Amino acid sequence: MQVAKSLGRKPKELENAPRLRSELRYLWSTFVEIKNATSGSITFPEINAYMQIYGNLNTFEVDVICHLDGLHSKENNNHG
């Protein structure tokens, strides 16, 4: 979205990007918040620290955040 704002149009690479379902957006936001607070992979102590401030996450939510972090690391390794 930021790139689209800068360019005034959607970049070609994002034209066919899948849309995130509205009921899952909070998980993406949570992942981004935790990821931005870390210097590497997201660990359980970091997730626990997040929960101490913002409230508990259930097992599914923690699993999704860990999976997203794994995908992020894999993507970085493929392009780094």
Side-chain angles (χ1 to χ4, degrees):
M1 294 175 88
Q2 199 63 24
V3 174
K5 280 184 182 179
S6 298
L7 295 174
R9 62 177 171 75
K10 187 181 276 191
K12 278 191 256 182
E13 296 85 1
L14 297 177
E15 286 177 3
N16 295 317
R19 288 202 156 286
L20 182 61
R21 291 174 30 189
S22 61
E23 63 269 23
L24 298 176
R25 285 190 186 135
Y26 81 98
L27 278 173
W28 176 255
S29 296
T30 302
F31 164 71
V32 171
E33 285 180 41
I34 297 171
K35 191 65 179 174
N36 286 340
T38 66
S39 59
S41 295
I42 294 173
T43 64
F44 288 117
E46 289 161 332
I47 294 171
N48 191 46
Y50 176 90
M51 290 192 296
Q52 294 297 315
I53 298 168
Y54 296 103
N56 288 334
L57 299 170
N58 64 39
T59 305
F60 169 77
E61 293 166 327
V62 171
D63 287 346
V64 168
I65 290 165
C66 290
H67 185 72
L68 287 170
D69 191 50
L71 292 172
H72 180 266
S73 294
K74 184 177 177 181
E75 185 66 19
N76 278 347
N77 289 336
N78 288 339
H79 291 99

